Structures are given as structure tokens and as C-alpha cells.
Amino acid sequence: MAMPQTDINKTFNFVLDEYKRNTPDSELIDDVKNVAAKLDKKSVTIAEYEQNGKFHPCTLQRRFGSWFKVLEICGLEPSRSKLNISKEELFSNLERIWISLGRQPRYNEIKKPFSKYSAGTYENKFGSFHEALESFVAYMSNGSESSQNDSSENVSFIENKTASKIAHKTKREISDRLRFQILMRDGFTCKTCGRSPINEKGVKLHVDHIVPWSKGGETIPDNLETKCEQCNLGKGNAFVDKK
Ligand SMILES: [Zn+2]
């Protein structure tokens, strides 16, 4: 009489969502470890676990915060699962591609080795490639030049040989975001010679200070412009010679 009842419970427990929610952490963790052992792998991707595990990966992600955390707790190596790549990382890859093309990348251009991540990775993270581009543009446009000046505590001083000091309102470094804004503004075209990766493969663009930072120039859009690598390299000396 006791036998069939256990069986019923077993079936029931397995089906009910309630059961999963109450599953002790250790049982979830052990199951991931078992899958790793079964696959003879040092890491388990979400997809692999979904195929081989007893629980839904979402249950574990919800319980432990992220798949990355799950692997950490299990003592497994971080998986290369696409879902673990941060938006910032995906944006920075997109930025590099956009700059090297001088324009908005196309779906079929987002592939390795040109791109570090496949278009599918962007689709997974953002829903669609188009949405990925939209989020990227929003991310890059947000925080205009004013945010560059918000660091009043960052007023920096530079000392030159004659020990005179120049007070700067901005930092010398051009943030990725500001650089991208300037490139967009200048149409990904060198302001000196007009070359652009849009019509010439391999042209490398830089964003540089018009009045050098060392001469008191600030890191603001009005003092920044797009230059190709060649013009940029020639520029530093030209300025010194003139002054
Ligand atoms: Zn140039």
C-alpha cells in the first residue's frame, strides 16, 4: 500500500513547479555538477544544461542570480555562454566595427573574426539585431558633452618645464562615448584630407584635440575633430612648429 503512494509522490513532485521552487540549493548545484561530469566538461553552458539537466536553467539563474554565479558555486569554469556577455562588451565590439566601417554595420557583417560576437549573440541579448543597434545608439548618445564636464573635482593641473600651470575643466582622455559622438558628427571622415573607411578600406580614424590638451585645449566637442591616422600623426609637430 505504501509503494504506489511513493510513486505518485515522485511523479507529482517532478511535475509541480512548486517542488522546483522548494528544491534545496544543494540539489540544484549537484545536478549541474552531474551534467558537467556526464559531459566530461569543466564548464556547462545554459543550452547544455537545458538538454541534460533535471531543472530548467531559469530556475537556477533565478535562485543564484546568474548562470555565471551558478558555475562559480559549482566550482566550474565560467562558460562562454553568450548570455553572460555584458551589454557594455557587446557595445564596445559594435563601436569598433562601426568605426572601422565608418557607418552602421549590416547584419551579415556581424560575424567572426571581424566581429568578436555573432549577430545571433546580439539577437539573444537584445531581441533582434535592430534593437541591438537602437540600444547602442541610445547608449552612445546618452550623456552628451555636459557629462564630460560634470567632474568638477577632476580639475587637473599639468606642469610643463617652465613650471607654469594650466587648469583644465576636463580630463585629457576622450571617453569612448564622446569619441563615437565626434566620429558621427564628422561623418567618419578625416577633417584634414577627407579620407574615410566608408569608401577606402583600412582607413583608421582617430579623434584628437584641435588645441592640444597640453596647450590648454579642453576635451569638449568644439575642440575635438576626426583625423585619419596619417593626418593625426603629422599633426602634433605641425602645431608645435607654428607656435
Ligand atoms: Zn587625413
Side-chain angles (χ1 to χ4, degrees):
M1 190 132 179
M3 285 284 276
Q5 202 149 15
T6 337
D7 280 349
I8 286 163
N9 277 341
K10 247 188 194 164
T11 330
F12 236 76
N13 285 344
F14 204 69
V15 170
L16 271 182
D17 222 28
E18 204 62 32
Y19 170 74
K20 288 179 187 171
R21 229 172 277 151
N22 298 328
T23 311
D25 287 4
S26 59
E27 200 175 318
L28 295 173
I29 291 304
D30 284 346
D31 194 50
V32 179
K33 286 183 183 170
N34 287 341
V35 170
K38 186 184 146 196
L39 299 174
D40 194 25
K41 283 183 148 184
K42 286 177 178 156
S43 187
V44 177
T45 65
I46 292 172
E48 285 167 343
Y49 183 75
E50 198 166 7
Q51 276 197 339
N52 299 283
K54 273 203 300 195
F55 308 97
H56 197 277
C58 291
T59 309
L60 285 104
Q61 284 170 291
R62 239 181 282 129
R63 181 77 64 88
F64 301 103
S66 69
W67 191 250
F68 186 81
K69 273 274 156 59
V70 172
L71 294 172
E72 198 177 63
I73 295 164
C74 296
L76 295 167
E77 286 176 5
S79 89
R80 297 195 160 262
S81 166
K82 288 161 182 171
L83 296 171
N84 286 335
I85 302 164
S86 71
K87 282 191 178 181
E88 286 71 22
E89 172 63 18
L90 290 171
F91 285 157
S92 112
N93 180 59
L94 207 48
E95 182 194 5
R96 189 182 51 75
I97 290 168
W98 197 310
I99 293 173
S100 74
L101 292 172
R103 56 162 172 78
Q104 180 180 323
R106 298 185 187 114
Y107 181 87
N108 60 10
E109 289 167 331
I110 306 298
K111 53 187 172 200
K112 293 170 190 181
F114 183 48
S115 171
K116 260 169 86 181
Y117 309 106
S118 69
T121 306
Y122 286 89
E123 290 174 315
N124 283 345
K125 191 84 175 183
F126 297 93
S128 72
F129 182 59
H130 186 74
E131 278 175 80
L133 290 176
E134 276 182 350
S135 314
F136 170 73
V137 169
Y139 175 82
M140 281 300 178
S141 334
N142 145 19
S144 55
E145 59 272 31
S146 61
S147 73
Q148 287 287 311
N149 295 330
D150 65 3
S151 43
S152 45
E153 83 276 12
N154 272 325
V155 172
S156 19
F157 292 90
I158 181 164
E159 279 183 62
N160 64 22
K161 283 168 203 153
T162 57
S164 74
K165 286 173 181 174
I166 300 170
H168 278 97
K169 289 190 184 109
T170 53
K171 281 192 268 185
R172 181 179 196 145
E173 273 158 63
I174 305 162
S175 70
D176 289 351
R177 195 173 263 168
L178 183 59
R179 176 178 300 111
F180 194 77
Q181 289 170 4
I182 301 302
L183 288 166
M184 282 284 244
R185 183 198 67 190
D186 296 345
F188 293 90
T189 300
C190 173
K191 296 293 270 183
T192 305
C193 71
R195 292 168 78 210
S196 168
I198 300 169
N199 41 38
E200 194 180 340
K201 236 183 175 182
V203 172
K204 283 190 182 151
L205 296 178
H206 293 257
V207 169
D208 199 24
H209 293 86
I210 299 169
V211 177
W213 200 81
S214 60
K215 303 232 185 271
E218 296 288 355
T219 308
I220 52 170
D222 282 350
N223 192 42
L224 295 170
E225 66 179 358
T226 302
K227 293 260 185 184
C228 72
E229 197 165 46
Q230 282 178 318
C231 292
N232 191 43
L233 289 176
K235 195 208 103 177
N237 295 332
F239 194 91
V240 171
D241 287 348
K242 264 187 228 162
K243 281 249 157 178

